[in-house]
Amino acid sequence: MTDNLTVATHIFDHSKKLGDAYEKVMQPLCKKLDMPQTALDVLMFLANNPGFDTAGDICRYRNIKAALVSFHVEKLVEAGFIERRAVEGDRRKCRLVCTEKAEPVIEEGRQMQKKFAHKLVEGFSEEDMEHFRKCLHIVSGNIDNILKGCL
């Protein structure tokens, strides 16, 4: 039986590999648009996560530093892909909203994400997928507990 340290090491190693593979899949769209990967990540996050539409949400859920988010948001605004909208009742916050100009980019990005997701689980049976989802849910909860300081 494999020990827990080995399993944890494999998970950590594969998390980096997963990110690298995702970037490789999205690279043609980045090149086509002359857009950095992080900017595309910001745009796709906003498109795919309704209700999570502030710079703080992007920082928190995509684990991107605030200065980097701010830089890429500004570039996306300048390019006309997103716009800022005031948050009623909180002058310090603004919502980031994808524009009509961003729609074809988002659609192409989603198609690439779907192909990536399909390729990632290629060869899994439905039973395998159900078990995998359960394992991911448990690991995710454990990661949340570690982040809360419950080791």
Side-chain angles (χ1 to χ4, degrees), residues 1-11:
M1 181 168 208
T2 307
D3 68 283
N4 291 341
L5 180 58
T6 302
V7 171
T9 300
H10 284 302
I11 290 170

Side-chain angles (χ1 to χ4, degrees), residues 40-136:
L40 183 59
D41 288 347
V42 168
L43 183 63
M44 296 306 298
F45 176 86
L46 292 170
N48 292 335
N49 297 281
F52 296 93
D53 55 5
T54 66
D57 291 331
I58 298 165
C59 293
R60 186 170 27 268
Y61 294 105
R62 291 291 289 132
N63 197 29
I64 304 171
K65 294 183 190 276
L68 205 50
V69 169
S70 180
F71 175 81
H72 288 293
V73 163
E74 187 59 35
K75 294 295 181 189
L76 289 165
V77 168
E78 289 172 5
F81 291 118
I82 62 174
E83 59 185 38
R84 293 181 182 98
R85 294 193 184 154
V87 173
E88 196 173 315
D90 191 344
R91 292 179 297 153
R92 296 170 297 157
K93 282 187 182 178
C94 66
R95 298 207 183 290
L96 303 170
V97 180
C98 298
T99 64
E100 191 174 313
K101 179 181 179 180
E103 289 176 14
V105 174
I106 292 165
E107 182 56 36
E108 190 170 347
R110 284 179 175 155
Q111 290 304 315
M112 295 172 107
Q113 288 175 330
K114 284 179 187 176
K115 287 178 185 175
F116 174 75
H118 179 75
K119 189 68 173 173
L120 192 63
V121 296
E122 189 175 71
F124 278 59
S125 69
E126 190 52 46
E127 184 179 314
D128 292 339
M129 283 304 300
E130 187 57 39
H131 187 70
F132 187 60
R133 282 185 207 100
K134 182 179 178 183
C135 291
L136 285 176

Side-chain angles (χ1 to χ4, degrees), residues 2-54:
T2 307
D3 68 283
N4 291 341
L5 180 58
T6 302
V7 171
T9 300
H10 284 302
I11 290 170
F12 183 79
D13 290 345
H14 289 305
S15 68
K16 170 79 170 100
K17 198 173 177 181
L18 177 68
D20 291 347
Y22 177 77
E23 285 185 14
K24 183 174 183 173
V25 166
M26 300 304 282
Q27 197 58 44
L29 183 56
C30 291
K31 285 184 179 179
K32 176 180 171 181
L33 299 167
D34 192 27
M35 181 182 286
Q37 178 71 47
T38 304
L40 183 59
D41 288 347
V42 168
L43 183 63
M44 296 306 298
F45 176 86
L46 292 170
N48 292 335
N49 297 281
F52 296 93
D53 55 5
T54 66

Side-chain angles (χ1 to χ4, degrees), residues 142-150:
N142 292 342
I143 291 169
D144 289 343
N145 286 334
I146 291 168
L147 291 171
K148 291 176 188 170
C150 304

